[in-house]
Amino acid sequence: MNIITFDIEEWYLESIGQKRAEKFAEYDRYLEAILEKLEQRGIKATFFCVGEMARLYPQVLKKIQSHGHEIGCHSNIHTWINKMSEEACRLDTQKAVDSLEQCVGEKVLAYRAPAFSIGEQNKWAFGILAENGIVYDASVFPAKRDFGGFEGFGIETPCLVEYNGIRLKEFPVSMTTLLGKRLAYSGGGYFRFFPLSFVRREMSKKDYAMCYFHIGDLVAEMTKVMTKQEYEAYFKEPGSLKARYVRYIKSSLGIRHAFDKMLHLLDATELKSIGEADKAIDWNDVKIVKL
């Protein structure tokens, strides 16, 4: 099964940054085009939204919901979990889930951590998700990456996570092997980097693929190099010149054609939301990861 997800935070991030009216309008246009394409193809997706979006831009969430898509939680203010204490994460998750549920009037069952920031060092986060009624998670990046990853997770297909007496359904990021290295390919900067033919070929090899997109990764506009202050405020780490230029290259690579590439993927692929996938899986027949 192929799953389609979107992480929604751009309106909120712009509101705490430059507050450019043209950027808000641009995000609105891209979202409208995405919803229209999904409608044409009869595809339902999961949209992971930050909690502040529910308070500042409820109309965005309600528009997504009105098209029949699933609303999931993407933290409260897009702070990475590996940058938070356990108690801070608990408060962040409680506030985010509550805000989203009040906005859309439905129980929020799905969660994705910003930057896939749940790993070996903060696996306590699974317990916090369960405390807040989360049923299925999509935060595990089962390999090394710049911002952590969960290299020792060991499974790259839907599974059950068992931690401190709780069980959570997990939908990890899909991986492939290239030059001996485990890499993602079906979302974010990886999707922009690889040719669409490569992405589709890798998806066809397996019974499971997780696609994930940010609207900011699809806007056909070259970004600027972050200032030291911008970098450190966002990434919560030293903003050296090298770090800022590496981030600039990664965020700009393939950006001009990313949106059209995604539309072609939607045209050529059978996709479903995490909620739909959850109903299709026999959870008695999946592997259990004990943490």
Side-chain angles (χ1 to χ4, degrees), residues 38-249:
L38 293 173
E39 186 82 21
Q40 290 173 355
R41 291 281 291 111
I43 296 170
K44 298 304 179 189
T46 299
F47 286 77
F48 291 102
C49 307
V50 297
E52 280 293 318
M53 286 288 298
R55 292 185 288 278
L56 299 175
Y57 306 99
Q59 72 278 8
V60 175
L61 274 63
K62 290 177 180 179
K63 174 177 279 191
I64 293 168
Q65 185 190 38
S66 72
H67 284 260
H69 301 294
E70 178 179 29
I71 300 294
C73 180
H74 194 41
S75 82
N76 190 49
I77 56 172
H78 207 259
T79 300
W80 301 348
I81 295 182
N82 57 11
K83 306 290 185 181
M84 287 193 282
S85 68
E86 187 170 348
E87 185 56 28
C89 178
R90 178 171 283 106
L91 294 173
D92 180 274
T93 306
Q94 289 172 348
K95 189 170 185 179
V97 170
D98 181 63
S99 297
L100 294 169
E101 289 180 348
Q102 288 194 43
C103 179
V104 301
E106 294 180 354
K107 186 74 186 77
V108 171
L109 303 176
Y111 184 91
R112 171 174 287 148
F116 303 102
S117 52
I118 296 179
E120 182 65 39
Q121 302 306 313
N122 59 358
K123 55 191 176 185
W124 40 256
F126 291 117
I128 291 174
L129 299 184
E131 288 173 15
N132 286 276
I134 298 300
V135 174
Y136 34 85
D137 175 66
S139 302
V140 170
F141 190 101
K144 270 187 180 179
R145 67 190 305 261
D146 287 353
F147 305 116
F150 205 145
E151 188 176 15
F153 192 77
I155 295 179
E156 299 172 8
T157 55
C159 59
L160 292 169
V161 169
E162 191 172 280
Y163 177 77
N164 275 3
I166 65 97
R167 277 190 177 181
L168 208 63
K169 298 170 181 176
E170 180 62 42
F171 290 85
V173 172
S174 306
M175 311 299 292
T176 189
T177 301
L178 194 63
L179 300 177
K181 186 174 181 179
R182 298 300 286 163
L183 297 170
Y185 63 89
S186 55
Y190 303 96
F191 179 80
R192 289 189 279 107
F193 174 75
F194 290 118
L196 181 59
S197 58
F198 176 86
V199 174
R200 292 188 59 198
R201 184 166 65 249
E202 290 301 309
M203 290 176 69
S204 70
K205 290 178 181 178
K206 301 175 182 178
D207 294 331
Y208 167 77
M210 169 64 71
C211 300
Y212 59 96
F213 300 100
H214 292 82
I215 289 179
D217 284 334
L218 301 171
V219 174
E221 174 185 297
M222 298 297 285
T223 60
K224 296 180 180 179
V225 178
M226 285 182 167
T227 65
K228 188 174 186 294
Q229 293 76 16
E230 289 171 337
Y231 184 96
E232 292 179 350
Y234 186 79
F235 292 106
K236 305 295 190 297
E237 60 185 32
S240 67
L241 187 63
K242 177 183 177 182
R244 288 184 282 131
Y245 267 93
V246 168
R247 180 49 42 193
Y248 167 74
I249 292 170

